[in-house]
Amino acid sequence: MSGEAVARALQEGDPRKLSDLALAAEHGCSVGLVARVRRDLNLPTCARGKRPVQQSLETVFFERSRPVDGGHREWTRQTAASGTPVISHRGQHVTAGRVAFKIARGREPEGQVRPSCTFPHCVEPAHQADRLMRDAATASLAEVSA
């Protein structure tokens, strides 16, 4: 197939939405020919299928959880095999509890983050406690009972 059909397709459509591979398959020619025609016509290359810019981790957290009775928050998406709520965001994997902790406390947690309530896998930001908070609570109980 000649480059004329490819040139016509590129000029009639949006060249940013037409991949060289798809045009080559459609017109029975090589990808190299499509690329040469595109260059000769000074047309932009096809925009890759990138995901739209993702929202902040905090926004993703609230989109993937919902409030429930008793002031708790349950996770509605991906969990680890253990049932721990997890977030995959921008190539990183983190527990929802760590994100919730940072939302509530404004700092990164020390050690594991665990809910301070009895609701299973609660991700309510105010209900998250890190190792420092648990140690402080244990020390406080020891003082009271002494």
Side-chain angles (χ1 to χ4, degrees), residues 29-121:
C29 63
S30 72
V31 174
L33 174 65
V34 176
R36 277 191 302 278
V37 170
R38 188 184 294 270
R39 267 193 317 272
D40 291 347
L41 295 173
N42 201 25
L43 295 173
T45 59
C46 177
R48 301 238 180 235
K50 293 181 181 177
R51 293 180 182 173
V53 175
Q54 289 189 354
Q55 305 135 327
S56 70
L57 191 54
E58 184 174 329
T59 301
V60 171
F61 171 83
F62 285 109
E63 285 181 350
R64 297 178 185 182
S65 63
R66 67 175 171 235
V68 293
D69 291 340
H72 304 286
R73 181 170 284 275
E74 73 179 351
W75 193 245
T76 61
R77 299 286 179 88
Q78 180 183 4
T79 61
S82 64
T84 302
V86 293
I87 298 176
S88 296
H89 183 260
R90 296 184 180 169
Q92 295 182 346
H93 306 288
V94 63
T95 66
R98 291 187 80 78
V99 175
F101 182 92
K102 188 167 183 182
I103 289 169
R105 309 281 186 260
R107 68 172 175 86
E108 290 293 330
E110 295 287 330
Q112 285 188 341
V113 174
R114 297 182 188 142
S116 57
C117 64
T118 58
F119 187 83
H121 300 291

Side-chain angles (χ1 to χ4, degrees), residues 1-6 8 23-24 26-30 33:
M1 170 86 25
S2 72
E4 293 169 11
V6 172
R8 200 170 30 258
L23 284 170
E26 181 180 337
H27 294 284
C29 63
S30 72
L33 174 65

